[in-house]
């Protein structure tokens, strides 16, 4: 459950939720769920960007406290500053991904999903199952 005050616990929860989504989104039973998933992801990306920017700022503000395990403060400070730069660099593509995701979300919202051709054939033929291939001289 989200803590809103324990970044490590909340990051673990987010990772687990995304892992679950990656597994679950391999197939969609209800095509309308794609719209809901895109909407949720569109809401999530700005939070990821904000977290990356805040982590970057934290590394930059706390660089003077950093040291390597051997006590080398100069190396620790340098690594903290560079880590902050990488984090800011990671936030930019997330911002761009959010824009692209919003476009896909908007386009998806205009789609009226229709049953697949096989599902339509099955519905037309009653309870008979749809064939994968037509009958041939060699049988079904």
């Amino acid at each position: 459950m989200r803590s809103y005050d324990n970044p490590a616990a909340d990051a673990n929860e987010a990772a687990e939720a995304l892992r679950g989504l990656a597994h679950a989104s391999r197939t969609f039973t209800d095509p309308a769920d794609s719209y809901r998933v895109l909407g949720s992801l569109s809401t999530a990306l700005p939070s990821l960007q904000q977290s990356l920017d805040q982590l970057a700022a934290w590394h930059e503000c706390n660089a003077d406290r950093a040291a390597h395990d051997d006590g080398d403060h100069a190396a620790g400070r340098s690594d903290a500053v560079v880590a902050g730069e990488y984090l800011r660099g990671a936030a930019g593509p997330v911002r761009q991904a959010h824009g692209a995701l919003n476009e896909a979300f908007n386009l998806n919202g205009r789609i009226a999903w229709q049953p697949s051709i096989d599902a339509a054939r099955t519905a037309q033929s009653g309870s008979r199952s749809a064939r994968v291939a037509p009958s041939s001289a060699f049988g079904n």
Side-chain angles (χ1 to χ4, degrees):
M1 179 170 308
R2 287 169 302 285
S3 71
Y4 295 100
D5 62 0
N6 184 335
D10 289 347
N12 284 335
E13 184 177 343
E16 284 299 315
L18 288 171
R19 188 174 298 118
L21 175 61
H23 180 79
S25 62
R26 292 178 299 169
T27 61
F28 284 86
T29 305
D30 181 0
D33 285 345
S34 66
Y35 182 77
R36 290 186 282 276
V37 169
L38 287 171
S40 294
L41 289 172
S42 184
T43 302
L45 282 184
S47 296
L48 175 59
Q49 179 206 333
Q50 179 180 358
S51 294
L52 292 170
D53 282 334
Q54 289 170 174
L55 279 163
W58 185 89
H59 277 78
E60 293 161 359
C61 290
N62 290 282
D64 290 338
R65 297 174 38 197
H68 279 192
D69 287 340
D70 64 2
D72 186 342
H73 285 281
R77 183 184 191 296
S78 175
D79 285 351
V81 169
V82 172
E85 291 170 2
Y86 274 110
L87 289 163
R88 289 214 188 274
V94 172
R95 188 178 307 108
Q96 291 174 336
H98 180 245
L101 181 58
N102 274 341
E103 290 298 322
F105 177 57
N106 290 331
L107 292 168
N108 183 278
R110 298 189 327 220
I111 298 170
W113 295 103
Q114 304 298 309
S116 70
I117 293 171
D118 288 338
R121 286 184 190 149
T122 300
Q124 287 176 348
S125 66
S127 62
R128 293 183 301 153
S129 63
R131 296 177 186 262
V132 175
S135 297
S136 71
F138 300 105
N140 293 335

